[in-house]
Amino acid sequence: MDYQHVQVPFEITLWIMLASLAKIAFHLYNKLPSVVPESCLLIFVGLIMGGIIYGLNDKSPPVMDSDIFFLYLLPPIVLDAGYFMPSRPFFENIGTILLYAVVGTIWNVFGIGFSLYGICQVKSFHLQDISLLHNLLFGSLIAAVDPVAVLSVFEEIHVNEKLHILVFGESLLNDAVSVVLYKLFRSFCEMSTIKTVDVFAGIGKFFVVGIGGVLVGLLFGMIAAFTTRFTKNIRVIEPLFVFLYSYLSYLTAEMFHLSGIVAIIACAMGMKRYVEANISLKSHTTIKYFLKMWSSVSDTLIFIFLGVSTIGDNHEWSWSYICFTIIFCLIWRALGVLVLTFFVNRLHVNTVTSKDQFIIAYGGLRGAICFSLVFLLPEFPRKKLFIAATTVVILFTVFVQGMTIRPLVDLLDVKRKRESAPTVGEQIHIRFLDHLLAGIEDISGHWGQYYWKDKLEYFNSKYLQKFLLREYDQPKSSIVLLYEKLERKHAIELVEAGQLIHEPSHTSLLVFVDSHRSTVVVKESDSMNPDVLENIQKILSRNLYRIRRTVPAYNRHNLPGESGTAEQAKEILILRHRSLR
Amino acid sequence: MRDGLSELPPIRDPQSGADHAGDGLKYDLQGIGALAVNPLGDRIINAFFREGEEFTDFRAFMRVLARFRPVEEGKSKETGYPEPMNSRLSKLQFAFQLYDQDSDGKISRAEMLQVLRLMVGIQVTDEQLACIADRTIQEADQDGDGAISFEEFATSVEKLNIEQRMSLRMLK
């Protein structure tokens, strides 16, 4: 038997197998996932595994290597999040998200750092050897909200979309800030004297890291979109390009000490639109399922390793420091959310209610990123205390906050995600109001966020699409193709979901180009027939005129872009002309 | 209305090109390009003008725009005072008026069909449209009279966030 030969891949596969089997086991017992979030169960499994290993070997089990975490486990999760990020709610709330992510994180870091330093001054706690800088360093790694933990908990509680995107967007974007602060304080720890110019350099670095990450991501996204333009004859490897380019953007950003998470998000969001238009339907399905699978495996592994790494000799316990860390994390987060939301609500029509604020503050879960960062700290006498504190905070947030957030959401009656599709009447009224608002905006000459959206659309249709979309030599036909492909995709999705019974027809909004009539026959007798209802929904979703500017009503199946408005406009003008006669 | 008018910020006056100083021509509003290709363009324009008239003045113009001011939170409902122009109720009334062209207080099946026909492409046949209109009325109609009254309309849109949908931030 030659175990040494296969040891490494064998053990890796065994861990992944354990993770997946654990997942199956949880979902077999139906009631469990609704009470205890998956992340808690996985950490628990990890704790058991760690205990077993410790008992068997009588030494600390393998601690999760930070490199493995940052290079292999984290990117799939972030890519999955970025690729399937609903871009409309994200960009509509981008101001709020950025405010929470940047200002909120800085507030938390300094708040926690300074207050812990204050605690360290108290003589009876025997903590006086921890300097201010060390406290700030600790603050910088513990303050950031973790996207992995947030994703796994919020996915199960189905809050309304805006709330979800606020917490989730914040957890993704605060990476830039926390990376800068962490590296800054770490380098300060190693320097003997700190000059003010260093502080300013740090502030400048933040902009470089954030914006640089976005630029790197967009660059790779555009290259990816351009590459998929030529993949018509080798459909099989199309998904591979998406993964490769995204991963490259992450690695490149990390190489230049920019924010990898921001880069990969920018890459995914930037390329999605063009790639979707260029690749085949099967490739799209492949991408979707592979991303989900990878991110699920990563997610599970991370939590199990968290559990395993908790057991061991890495900890130094100090009741006071640890308890106060937890308390300060909660207090500063709550204060931060309160203050920032106060400013946000003054500027926006769309206010963040106090219930939402509570959930945002309570949903600030810490996770594996803090854990990995604390292991990366340079060796100094109190490192084990920090490790212990981080572990306790993570376990506290995941177990206590993760388990109680669902009952709290129910108790506070927070607005939930719409489970049911809007009724026909509601759909019509929504569209009616959208048209009305668009008209009023035109009359009043209002240039709001929709102005910039229009400008971006214009830039997109004039320059980008020519470059990045295949078959753009005849603009009209490419619009038709795009429409047909998207409608086909939509129809196939409906069929797969078991909702459509009739064969989808090729009606499109472009009346003058595509002459297929709708083959759907609607029975007049029985209006309450679900069959008929689906047909109605289908007709409406395809045939209602697109509004020029859309009001925040996100629908995952909405066709992106404003292509086809010329034909729609022509149609409307002709109808009006006829009616005026 | 004194309050609303004086508080509204100055806006680009689309009527500035009119020959009649200070008065707005329906003709000018119809000249706004983007409005011409809005399916509800005509109805929106007509909302600014009184029945049959071709001119409107600045006050009447503002009266319509005032409906779209964002709702102020925290303002207690004082009974006895007239309903503020930008409250949810007023916004709903304005929307209802756009549906109900003959102002009989109900959206009849014919009126619903008219609106649907305006909003939907010519691909949809009349019988499909009739089915959709029937379905809409059926969903909203509670007293079974085959038409949607204002209360029924308000109930059917209660899940939609009217205060935020029908507000322009600029008018705050």
Side-chain angles (χ1 to χ4, degrees), chain A residues 461-476:
Chain A
S461 52
K462 243 198 142 187
Y463 302 109
L464 287 181
Q465 274 183 346
K466 277 195 207 129
F467 201 53
L468 300 174
L469 284 185
R470 202 182 306 140
E471 300 151 356
Y472 206 79
D473 35 357
Q474 290 171 318
K476 237 186 180 180

Side-chain angles (χ1 to χ4, degrees), chain A residues 39 76-78 80-82 146-157 164 167-168 171-172 292 295 299 303 363 365:
Chain A
S39 40
I77 299 179
V78 184
D80 178 39
D146 187 78
V148 179
V150 163
L151 235 186
S152 69
V153 168
F154 270 74
E155 213 161 43
E156 295 166 3
I157 59 178
H164 186 224
V167 184
F168 187 53
S171 68
L172 285 173
K292 293 286 175 201
S295 65
D299 182 82
F303 283 115
L365 305 174

Side-chain angles (χ1 to χ4, degrees), chain A residues 162 345-351 415 418 420 423-426 428-447 449 507-509 511-512 514-518 520-524 527-529 532-533 536 539-540 543-548 551-553 568-573 575-576 578-580, chain B residues 11-14 29-30 32 34-45 48 61 64-65 68 70-71 73 91 94-96 98-99 107 109 112 115-125 127-128 130-136 138-140 148 153 155-172:
Chain A
K162 187 177 107 175
N345 282 344
R346 287 170 72 90
L347 296 173
H348 276 260
V349 176
N350 234 336
T351 54
K415 214 164 106 188
R418 280 197 85 119
S420 57
T423 66
V424 173
E426 279 176 351
I428 294 181
H429 294 315
I430 289 175
R431 193 51 72 91
F432 182 85
L433 289 176
D434 288 346
H435 281 301
L436 172 60
L437 257 291
I440 298 285
E441 278 185 357
D442 284 328
I443 292 181
S444 60
H446 179 207
W447 279 1
Q449 54 178 217
T507 22
S508 74
L509 201 49
V511 176
F512 304 109
D514 191 340
S515 56
H516 286 209
R517 297 219 60 130
S518 170
V520 171
V521 173
V522 172
K523 301 188 192 77
E524 277 210 41
S527 276
M528 294 302 279
N529 193 342
V532 170
L533 181 57
I536 292 180
I539 293 174
L540 280 181
N543 287 300
L544 277 177
Y545 283 129
R546 295 289 177 271
I547 39 173
R548 192 179 48 79
V551 167
Q568 169 181 319
K570 224 191 304 187
E571 222 179 87
I572 296 177
L573 279 173
L575 274 176
R576 281 186 67 207
R578 265 193 231 139
S579 69
L580 281 175
Chain B
I11 56 168
R12 183 195 81 186
D13 190 359
L29 279 183
Q30 285 168 340
I32 299 177
L35 209 53
V37 296
N38 188 318
L40 300 178
D42 283 328
R43 293 199 177 204
I44 298 174
I45 293 175
F48 286 92
F61 183 76
V64 173
L65 280 188
F68 292 92
V71 180
E73 295 193 29
K91 291 184 201 279
F94 183 74
F96 190 75
L98 284 182
Y99 271 108
I107 305 177
R109 185 170 178 275
M112 194 76 222
V115 173
L116 277 173
R117 179 45 79 192
L118 280 179
M119 291 207 295
V120 151
I122 65 180
Q123 277 291 60
V124 182
T125 65
E127 45 177 40
Q128 288 166 356
C131 199
I132 296 175
D134 281 330
R135 169 98 201 173
T136 314
Q138 209 172 28
E139 281 170 357
I148 306 179
F153 176 70
T155 319
S156 67
V157 296
E158 68 184 355
K159 285 203 202 115
L160 305 176
N161 199 344
I162 296 290
E163 290 94 329
Q164 284 173 1
R165 266 181 204 279
M166 285 182 71
S167 300
L168 287 181
R169 195 203 314 178
M170 172 210 93
L171 294 173
K172 206 164 187 179

